[in-house]
């Protein structure tokens, strides 16, 4: 780790932290709080993915849909309108909408081949966005004068790295430049995330091997084809399995840093609280 003790962290001229874990446990909440207090630069990996690396894919998808409408087609063909996504740190809907869900096209589903292509685009974009972190740390300090830096990762980071490999290029760069902090949820948190997802299922990235297996099992167990599969039902069915698949991968990543809990996050009310929490976790070691 880049900080050898809690005191080392608290006295550091530059505090550099990366937050990872399941979506919905507080990564962006903490990052927003640290940014709003004025001393921390907030680097959102999802925002970087959706703007720098997948922005063109997203905009082109909007344009394809718009071209199906005669009025919009005419305006697009004469450069009379401009179509772009309005992605923000707190609203990543354009990115998730582009990823889509496989299944019945009448219910908004994509052909599985197209769906997997978009998944592959996301994986490549996520790796690139993670490797951009070091450059953004330098930019944040040199251009804007931020001494402290928080990297707010995607929930799918564990799907694009190999935490068991000490030479994994993404894990190695991240651990050499930031303190990796896992926000660990309880079984109760997992159950609540599943309930929340069931109310509003959204597309997300999955590791290809896991996704292929889930797709085959779902179609066999529900006796559906690619053409009549209900996209929302499939992603709801897959989500709980995805969380179980990710948990041990997050735990392996935690060996590269420290662990805090979702309950810890709820008690943090200020940047000072956050710093003290991280310092205690460094000194205490693994949970």
């Amino acid at each position: 780790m880049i900080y050898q003790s809690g005191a080392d962290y608290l006295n550091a001229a530059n505090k550099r932290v990366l937050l990872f874990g399941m979506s919905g446990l507080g990564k962006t909440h903490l990052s927003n709080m640290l940014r709003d207090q004025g001393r921390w630069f907030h680097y959102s990996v999802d925002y970087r993915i959706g703007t720098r690396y997948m922005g063109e894919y997203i905009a082109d998808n909007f344009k394809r849909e718009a071209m199906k409408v005669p009025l919009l087609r005419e305006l697009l063909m004469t450069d009379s309108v401009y179509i772009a996504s309005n992605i923000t740190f707190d609203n990543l809907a354009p990115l998730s909408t582009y990823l889509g869900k496989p299944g019945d096209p009448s219910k908004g589903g994509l052909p599985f081949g197209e769906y997997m292509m978009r998944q592959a685009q996301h994986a490549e974009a996520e790796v690139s966005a993670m490797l951009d972190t070091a450059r953004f740390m330098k930019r944040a300090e040199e251009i804007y004068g931020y001494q402290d830096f928080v990297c707010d990762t995607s929930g799918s980071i564990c799907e694009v790295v190999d935490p068991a490999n000490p030479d994994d290029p993404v894990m190695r760069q991240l651990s050499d430049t930031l303190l990796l902090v896992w926000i660990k949820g309880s079984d109760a948190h997992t159950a609540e995330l599943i309930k929340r997802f069931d109310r509003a299922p959204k597309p997300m990235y999955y590791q290809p091997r896991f996704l292929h297996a889930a797709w085959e099992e779902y179609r066999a167990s529900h006796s559906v084809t690619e053409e009549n599969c209900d996209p929302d039902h499939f992603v709801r069915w897959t989500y709980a399995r995805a969380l179980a698949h990710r948990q041990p991968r997050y735990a392996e990543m935690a060996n590269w840093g420290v662990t805090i809990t979702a309950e810890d996050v709820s008690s943090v009310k200020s940047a000072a609280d956050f710093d003290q929490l991280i310092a205690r976790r460094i000194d205490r070691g693994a949970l």
Side-chain angles (χ1 to χ4, degrees), residues 186-199 239:
S186 65
D187 290 344
H189 287 115
T190 300
E192 179 56 34
L193 290 176
I194 292 171
K195 286 182 182 179
R196 191 185 309 173
F197 189 90
D198 193 58
R199 290 193 295 270
Y239 184 69

Side-chain angles (χ1 to χ4, degrees), residues 87-113:
I87 195 168
T88 67
F89 282 18
D90 297 308
N91 181 6
L92 300 166
L95 176 58
S96 61
T97 298
Y98 175 75
L99 280 177
K101 310 163 190 174
D104 187 345
S106 70
K107 297 180 179 179
L110 293 170
F112 191 71

Side-chain angles (χ1 to χ4, degrees), residues 171-219:
M171 291 297 296
R172 177 51 58 196
Q173 177 180 296
L174 295 176
S175 66
D176 285 347
T177 53
L178 304 101
L179 175 68
L180 274 59
V181 178
W182 179 27
I183 302 179
K184 182 180 181 181
S186 65
D187 290 344
H189 287 115
T190 300
E192 179 56 34
L193 290 176
I194 292 171
K195 286 182 182 179
R196 191 185 309 173
F197 189 90
D198 193 58
R199 290 193 295 270
K202 67 177 184 178
M204 54 190 283
Y205 174 77
Y206 303 96
Q207 197 177 66
R209 183 183 303 175
F210 166 84
L211 187 53
H212 277 289
W215 180 241
E216 294 302 322
E217 182 182 348
Y218 178 84
R219 288 192 300 158

Side-chain angles (χ1 to χ4, degrees), residues 21 23 46 122 126 154-160 205-206 246 250:
S23 297
D46 279 327
H122 188 281
E126 185 163 359
S154 172
S156 55
I157 183 176
C158 65
E159 306 280 21
V160 298
Y205 174 77
Y206 303 96
R246 288 181 174 183
Y250 288 137

